[in-house]
Amino acid sequence: MMKKVTGYSLPAGKAGLQGTVVISLLIFIAFFLLYPNPYTLTPTSAQACPTQTTNPRAGGLISAPDISGSSGKFSNPVGVCVVDPQAAFVPFRIGSYNELRSLYFDQAKTSNQLKKITFTGDTGEGALSNCLTNPTCWDQDSNTSELSIYITGSVEFANGPLTGTKSAVIFIDGNLNINPGTISPQTQYPYGTANTGVVLVVGGNVSIDPVITRIDAVIISGGKIYTAGEDCRTSSVDANPLTVNGSLISLNPGSIVFCRSLASNTQAAEIIEHQAKYLVILRNLLSETWQKWSEITEITEPIPESSPTPIPSPTPSPSPITSPSPSPTPTPSPTPPSFKNVFVTSQYYTGNLGGLAGADQKCQQLADAAGIGSSQGLTYKAWLSNSTGSSPANRFTRSDVPYRLVEGTLVANNWADLTDGNLAAPISKDDTGATRFNIVYTATRTDGSWSGIYSDCNNWTLSEDSNNASGGLPDYTDALWTQGTGASCGFTQARLYCFEQ
């Protein structure tokens, strides 16, 4: 059994830091996915320049050949030295799946070019292909070129490859299974164009069936990656060669199980073809700007300890002087509130909210826990309507002061501004100040009235999938914030908007 990994090289420079850089898998990760640990690294002196052969993991990233003493964990195989005698290298680590999803989906900002979509539960390639090709999935915006998709369950590719030409990063909470299918068995899973592709970020395991021979994707896994199915757990598997046009990346060392076995030991069983287009795709979808290298031209001398400050001698206390009793000061009138709080709930709910009163109570409880409720004499209600006509338009106190998120961001200047169809900022911060993205039950139009779309889950007392209710999307500021989507009454991950009265 033979493994082969091919890559690309950049042109060699003239000297010093401009050494040859081989774009290996680790550089691919370090350049786009890693970020520095939150501590300060003490500058390390550059050392002599013999070629290092032990663990050359930092090849092309540093010019000091060994910065970790006898351990040799970050050596430089080409032995290129810096000119200055002092150099520092900031180390990196790979984040967990939850960290990656939080950074690059939950906290990602939508734009004309980038749209975010959530699928609840298990999903197949058919639903994903429909979203990748159907403009209704990305708001009919012709400028959309990139998609960020979040799937709360597992994904199985079983009846053919993904279709579409959009670049996409797909976060999968569960497992990813790539199978040939039974209706029209497929052995190849191509995707994209010369400039577009797909990145699959998986929280669980990735299982690639032994008959699969081609996958066009970057696959990043928080669990195990089995190149020949679950049988890889116990032994190698007789299979055809597998070519991955992209990359296989594990968030845990040693978690990629290359286990295909060929009759000929002169042929590679698994081939990873790194493609330069993913440098651009990952830069756009999964990158942040971080300092990776610094040259230190001088050593900062420590600040000398100052001499102790002399303690002055105590002075005698003056004799007390009797003052006349002051006249009582009138109690000032309370200052009227300068704004109203608004937030999306940190908790999930189904359509069984206990009616409008139960929904209001849930908002009040979260506000109380955050210290912005009853302790301040403040009450809250849910932005929610029912089919009998009860709605924010007739339930709410119409504010003359601004509505703000709990961390101070302006949402609307007053009630009229709140209900004009556009918000100044999305209501995407919860009662703790954290950013949240999930469907929000509303059944309410932008003007605060009952939407009349779908049902009200039997006055918000029903939690069955057979009924649907309309909702909003907390990362939008146009009408979609309150009437942009729908969810079943049995959906277990819906939120509420809560407004101070």
Side-chain angles (χ1 to χ4, degrees):
M1 181 166 58
M2 179 178 179
K3 316 300 173 199
K4 174 186 174 186
V5 176
T6 63
Y8 292 85
S9 345
L10 300 177
K14 294 182 179 180
L17 291 174
Q18 298 176 335
T20 300
V21 180
V22 177
I23 303 180
S24 67
L25 177 59
L26 290 175
I27 295 179
F28 190 79
I29 302 172
F31 200 80
F32 294 99
L33 298 179
L34 310 183
Y35 49 93
N37 288 319
Y39 60 81
T40 301
L41 181 69
T42 303
T44 304
S45 299
Q47 302 165 351
C49 300
T51 298
Q52 301 289 321
T53 58
T54 303
N55 295 324
R57 296 166 56 195
L61 292 180
I62 58 173
S63 55
D66 187 349
I67 65 169
S68 56
S70 60
S71 65
K73 290 183 178 179
F74 289 96
S75 59
N76 184 347
V78 296
V80 178
C81 284
V82 294
V83 176
D84 194 271
Q86 301 293 329
F89 175 67
V90 181
F92 293 84
R93 71 180 180 87
I94 302 175
S96 68
Y97 167 78
N98 287 334
E99 289 173 315
L100 292 177
R101 195 196 72 203
S102 175
L103 282 171
Y104 303 115
F105 185 85
D106 293 346
Q107 301 178 46
K109 301 299 183 183
T110 57
S111 65
N112 288 340
Q113 288 76 35
L114 175 65
K115 294 294 185 292
K116 299 197 302 184
I117 302 102
T118 298
F119 287 85
T120 302
D122 296 342
T123 305
E125 81 287 337
L128 288 174
S129 293
N130 182 63
C131 189
L132 291 167
T133 57
N134 191 343
T136 59
C137 193
W138 18 279
D139 305 327
Q140 304 283 353
D141 192 337
S142 60
N143 294 315
T144 299
S145 58
E146 297 158 352
L147 300 174
S148 186
I149 300 173
Y150 170 39
I151 299 167
T152 64
S154 296
V155 172
E156 181 172 13
F157 293 170
N159 293 300
L162 292 175
T163 57
T165 58
K166 303 288 183 186
S167 287
V169 57
I170 302 174
F171 294 91
I172 304 168
D173 278 355
N175 299 320
L176 170 63
N177 297 310
I178 304 177
N179 298 318
T182 57
I183 298 175
S184 179
Q186 302 286 326
T187 61
Q188 298 191 0
Y189 279 81
Y191 181 80
T193 67
N195 298 312
T196 63
V198 64
V199 180
L200 300 163
V201 188
V202 184
N205 294 332
V206 176
S207 177
I208 304 170
D209 192 274
V211 305
I212 303 298
T213 60
R214 172 185 170 183
I215 298 172
D216 294 355
V218 168
I219 300 177
I220 304 170
S221 174
K224 296 277 190 178
I225 300 179
Y226 300 104
T227 63
E230 294 292 321
D231 289 342
C232 284
R233 293 176 183 271
T234 56
S235 64
S236 60
V237 177
D238 293 335
N240 294 321
L242 170 66
T243 298
V244 177
N245 295 310
S247 191
L248 298 179
I249 301 171
S250 171
L251 301 181
N252 301 300
S255 293
I256 303 180
V257 184
F258 294 102
C259 58
R260 294 196 175 209
S261 178
L262 305 182
S264 171
N265 200 35
T266 61
Q267 185 180 6
E270 289 103 345
I271 302 171
I272 310 280
E273 293 283 2
H274 296 151
Q275 295 190 333
K277 69 179 182 180
Y278 283 106
L279 298 177
V280 178
I281 294 169
L282 288 176
R283 180 197 66 191
N284 293 342
L285 293 173
L286 279 174
S287 68
E288 289 193 50
T289 302
W290 296 99
Q291 179 181 351
K292 309 241 181 345
W293 168 269
S294 64
E295 295 286 349
I296 300 175
T297 57
E298 60 181 319
I299 301 176
T300 304
E301 296 295 332
I303 300 175
E305 296 183 3
S306 58
S307 300
T309 303
I311 301 174
S313 301
T315 56
S317 302
S319 300
I321 299 174
T322 304
S323 301
S325 300
S327 302
T329 304
T331 303
S333 301
T335 304
S338 58
F339 64 89
K340 301 286 189 183
N341 289 308
V342 56
F343 58 85
V344 65
T345 59
S346 57
Q347 301 297 314
Y348 292 133
Y349 307 104
T350 67
N352 185 3
L353 298 166
L356 295 181
D360 293 344
Q361 183 181 26
K362 289 173 171 55
C363 285
Q364 189 68 48
Q365 289 171 341
L366 293 176
D368 290 350
I372 56 174
S374 299
S375 62
Q376 307 296 316
L378 305 177
T379 59
Y380 288 78
K381 290 184 178 181
W383 179 268
L384 197 66
S385 302
N386 64 20
S387 57
T388 65
S390 293
S391 67
N394 54 40
R395 298 195 317 119
F396 276 26
T397 300
R398 301 192 176 195
S399 175
D400 293 326
V401 298
Y403 292 96
R404 294 184 180 275
L405 301 179
V406 294
E407 33 78 289
T409 301
L410 177 69
V411 172
N413 290 312
N414 47 43
W415 172 266
D417 191 26
L418 176 69
T419 56
D420 67 0
N422 288 283
L423 304 179
I427 307 176
S428 57
K429 298 291 185 180
D430 70 11
D431 38 286
T432 70
T435 302
R436 301 291 183 181
F437 297 108
N438 280 89
I439 291 173
V440 180
Y441 284 136
T442 62
T444 304
R445 294 191 180 98
T446 56
D447 64 0
S449 63
W450 156 248
S451 67
I453 303 174
Y454 300 125
S455 74
D456 62 355
C457 297
N458 193 27
N459 193 21
W460 303 108
T461 61
L462 191 67
S463 58
E464 296 179 1
D465 289 333
S466 58
N467 287 270
N468 296 311
S470 64
L473 301 169
D475 52 339
Y476 282 80
T477 57
D478 59 12
L480 297 177
W481 79 269
T482 185
Q483 54 186 54
T485 186
S488 73
C489 298
F491 184 49
T492 60
Q493 293 184 324
R495 302 183 189 273
L496 297 171
Y497 293 126
C498 300
F499 284 75
E500 177 189 335
Q501 300 303 295

